[in-house]
Amino acid sequence: MTQPRAQKIPLQAGRTLRLVLGDQLSDDLSSLTDVDPATDLVLMAEVMAEASYVRHHKQKLVLISSAMRQFADRLRARGVPVRYVRLDDSANSHSLEGELRRALAEAGLFERAVVTEPGEWRLAEVFGALQETLDPPLEIRPDRRFIASHRTFAQWAEGKRELTMEFFYRQMRRQTDLLMQDGKPAGERWNFDAENRKRLPPGIARPQRLRFPPNDATRAVMAEVAERFPDNFGTLEGFDWPTNHAEADAALDHFIGQILPNFGDWQDAMAKADAYLWHGLISSAINIGLLDPLEVCRRGEAEWKAGRVPLNAAEGFIRQIIGWREYVRGIYWLKGPDYKHTNALAADRTLPWFYWSGETDMACVADVVSETREHAYAHHIQRLMVTGNLAMLLGVHPDQINDWYMVVFIDAFEWVELPNTHGMATFADGGIVGSKPYAASGAYIDKMSDYCKACRYDVKQKLGDDACPFNALYWDFLDRNAKRLRDNHRLAFPYKTLERMEPAQRAALRAKATETRERLGAVKLAP
Ligand SMILES: Cc1cc2nc3c(=O)[nH]c(=O)nc-3n(C[C@H](O)[C@H](O)[C@H](O)COP(=O)(O)OP(=O)(O)OC[C@H]3O[C@@H](n4cnc5c(N)ncnc54)[C@H](O)[C@@H]3O)c2cc1C
Ligand code: SF4
C-alpha cells in the first residue's frame, strides 16, 4: 500500500518526528512523553531489515506487526498523527534509517527527530551513526521501562570480581521496595528458590490458560506472513498471543488471579505436551511494551499482601523480573557487542537438524521442539535444561545456538536472549552469567518431568544402544573440559565421581559420546 504523500508542512517551533520501534509499544515510552499532537508526527515502519535479520518464528512476525498496527490505532485514537509504513508499501525502503530519511523528506519540516534507545547493539550502532549525520539531529532517549538504568548497573558491577545475579537482585529489591518489610526482605529471606523445585504430582489438574484467538488485525497479518515467509520456522495456525494492551492486561489479570499462587511450586517442572503449566506467558507482552514490568511485579506483591499468593510464589516470580530480566539486560549492555563472540569452551560443532524438525527419538527434545514450533514458546527449564543443555554437551558452536534461540521464540530479543543462551545455558561467556555450566545428565530431566517414561532410551543407562544420550555426553563434557572446569568448586562433586571411575569406563563413555555426537548430527565445523 502506498503512503499518501503528506503536504509539505512549514517548520513549526519544536515540531518533532518520533520513531517508535516494534518492541516499544508503551504509552509512557520516553520518545512519546512530550508528544504534541498538534505539531508532531509518530513514525512506525515494518521493514525487511527487521523482519529478516534472523528468520523469526512466523508467530513472532505476526505478533510484532499486528501489535504495531494496533498501537498505531491507539495513538491515533488519542489524536496523535501516525505515519505507518507497511511491509508491502511500494515505496518502503526496508530499513529504519531509510524510513526515517524518507519521512523527513516527505512529511514536512521537523526541528528534531527522537527515538527511544533500541534494545540491541545492531540498531544502537545504526542510530549512534545517525546522531551525527541526520538533519535535523536524532535525539536518542533512555528506555525508562527498565528498572535499572545502564548507569545503575555499571555502578553495581564496578570493581566486582563476580557479577552474581542474587546480589544485584537484592539491590533491586531495596530500590523498588518490593517484598520489603522495615528494610528487611519479607519472610527474613531474600530467596525461596529451594521451595520452587518440586516435580509434578501424578494426575495433578493443570490450569486452563486464557488465550486470545486472532483478532482482525492479527488475521490480516497472518495472511501476509503466510505468503511472504512460508519457509520460516513454526506454524501459524495456533497463534493465540496477546497482541494489544487490553489483551495483555487480561492475560496478566488471569495469571495473577488464577495461576500465580502455584507459580513457585512447579516452576522447574516439565510435562509432555504442556509447556505452559503455571508459567506467566507474559514475556512477549512485556518485551514489546504491552505490559510494564514494575507494574506486573507490584500486582504480584499486592496478591501476596492480600494473602492470596504464598511468599515463595510471589518472590520467585518477582525475582525473575526485577532480578533475572534486569540483570541480563545489564550484562548485555555492559559487555558490549563482542560479548556474543566469546567461545569459552571452544565449541565447534553444528546444531543437529532435529532442533528444527523435531524428528528425534529423544522424547524430551522432540516435545520441546514440537511445542516451540506450535506455540513459539517453551518455558525456562525446557530452554535451559533440555535444548540448551544438550547443545552445550554436544559442543555446538555458540553462533548456531544463539541463532536458534533468536529464531524460535515469541519473546526473542537479543538483549535478553543472548545472556540467557550464551551465558546461562551454554557457558560460552566463560562464567559471567553463571558461576558454573548448567550441565546435567538424563537424571535431572527424569527427576523434573514425565518425559523419560515414554522415551525409547533408558535414562538409567550410560552405555549401550538404549542408553540415554545425555548420560555419556554429560560425563564426556566434564572429561573434555576438565582443564577449564576442574577447579570450579561448584563442580567438585561430579569431578570426584568422574575421577573415581575406572579408566576403561571413562574411555567407554568417551567413545559412546563421540558416537552419539556423530549419530545425532553434531559434526565438526570446518576450521
Ligand atoms: C536459553 C534461554 C534463552 C532464553 N531466551 C529468552 C528470550 O529470548 N526472551 C525472553 O524474554 N526470555 C528468554 N529466556 C528467559 C525465560 O526462559 C523466558 O523469559 C520465560 O520462559 C518466558 O516465559 P513466561 O512469561 O511464561 O515466564 P515465567 O516463567 O512466568 O517468568 C515470568 C517473567 O520473568 C521474566 N524472566 C524469567 N526468567 C528470565 C530470564 N532468565 N531472563 C529474563 N527474563 C526472565 C520474563 O519476563 C517472564 O515473563 C531464555 C532463557 C533461556 C534459558
Ligand atoms: S531418557 Fe534421556 S533422551 Fe529420553 S526423555 Fe529422558 S532424558 Fe530425554
Side-chain angles (χ1 to χ4, degrees), residues 179 260 263-264 300-301 304 309-319:
L179 301 180
L260 180 60
F263 173 85
E301 182 193 41
W304 167 71
V309 166
L311 186 53
N312 71 309
E315 188 282 316
F317 178 66
I318 287 171
R319 175 160 27 88

Side-chain angles (χ1 to χ4, degrees), residues 145 147 169 172-173 176-180 252 255-256 260 282 286 291-305 309 313-326:
R145 297 172 303 167
I147 297 153
Y169 165 58
M172 290 295 97
R173 287 273 293 276
T176 57
D177 207 34
L178 280 162
L179 301 180
M180 297 297 287
L252 181 63
F255 171 71
I256 296 277
L260 180 60
I282 51 171
I286 300 181
L291 290 173
D292 176 67
L294 190 54
E295 172 62 23
V296 167
C297 292
R298 298 228 183 277
R299 294 279 311 275
E301 182 193 41
E303 291 299 294
W304 167 71
K305 282 186 173 159
V309 166
E315 188 282 316
F317 178 66
I318 287 171
R319 175 160 27 88
Q320 304 312 310
I321 298 180
I322 65 168
W324 279 111
R325 187 171 187 272
E326 293 288 325

Side-chain angles (χ1 to χ4, degrees), residues 213-228:
N215 57 26
D216 289 350
T218 302
R219 275 200 302 277
V221 183
M222 283 168 80
E224 292 164 27
V225 167
E227 194 185 320
R228 246 182 205 257

Side-chain angles (χ1 to χ4, degrees), residues 290-522:
L290 302 181
L291 290 173
D292 176 67
L294 190 54
E295 172 62 23
V296 167
C297 292
R298 298 228 183 277
R299 294 279 311 275
E301 182 193 41
E303 291 299 294
W304 167 71
K305 282 186 173 159
R308 289 189 287 267
V309 166
L311 186 53
N312 71 309
E315 188 282 316
F317 178 66
I318 287 171
R319 175 160 27 88
Q320 304 312 310
I321 298 180
I322 65 168
W324 279 111
R325 187 171 187 272
E326 293 288 325
Y327 170 83
V328 296
R329 188 217 184 209
I331 293 285
Y332 178 77
W333 290 106
L334 185 76
K335 293 296 165 188
D338 289 337
Y339 175 70
K340 65 169 152 192
H341 299 306
T342 54
N343 185 1
L345 300 179
D348 59 356
R349 288 175 179 265
T350 55
L351 188 75
W353 180 246
F354 59 72
Y355 271 77
W356 303 107
S357 70
E359 286 165 9
T360 167
D361 46 15
M362 287 183 280
C364 53
V365 180
D367 184 67
V368 174
V369 174
S370 131
E371 289 282 290
T372 302
R373 197 174 37 226
E374 267 178 55
H375 304 299
Y377 181 87
H379 75 63
H380 184 71
I381 295 300
Q382 294 174 313
R383 298 183 200 198
L384 183 66
M385 300 310 295
V386 178
T387 44
N389 180 28
L390 181 65
M392 177 173 67
L393 298 183
L394 287 169
V396 177
H397 192 280
D399 289 351
Q400 300 210 358
I401 306 178
N402 292 334
D403 176 66
W404 187 80
Y405 277 96
M406 277 299 294
V407 166
V408 302
F409 292 118
I410 192 86
D411 55 20
F413 295 90
E414 197 182 67
W415 65 266
V416 54
E417 173 276 334
L418 191 67
N420 271 300
T421 305
H422 201 69
M424 193 187 310
T426 63
F427 208 71
D429 70 359
I432 293 169
V433 169
S435 53
K436 74 171 180 71
Y438 279 89
S441 68
Y444 175 86
I445 295 170
D446 191 31
K447 185 170 145 223
M448 297 311 300
S449 77
D450 58 2
Y451 288 136
C452 302
K453 284 201 284 283
C455 186
R456 94 132 197 82
Y457 294 108
D458 181 348
V459 71
K460 302 257 180 312
Q461 288 188 40
K462 295 189 189 69
L463 297 170
D465 287 350
D466 293 336
C468 165
F470 280 87
N471 293 341
L473 288 171
Y474 170 72
W475 291 109
D476 175 70
F477 171 83
L478 290 177
D479 213 350
R480 274 190 295 126
N481 290 295
K483 267 203 197 117
R484 296 180 186 94
L485 301 175
R486 178 65 189 89
D487 293 337
N488 185 320
H489 69 277
R490 295 194 64 202
L491 293 173
F493 183 72
Y495 268 109
K496 277 199 185 110
T497 309
L498 179 71
E499 284 153 11
R500 274 201 298 268
M501 287 179 191
E502 294 295 330
Q505 191 185 6
R506 276 173 81 161
L509 285 168
R510 272 199 296 271
K512 175 73 182 165
T514 304
E515 176 270 315
T516 304
R517 273 194 295 272
E518 296 297 324
R519 183 168 53 81
L520 296 184

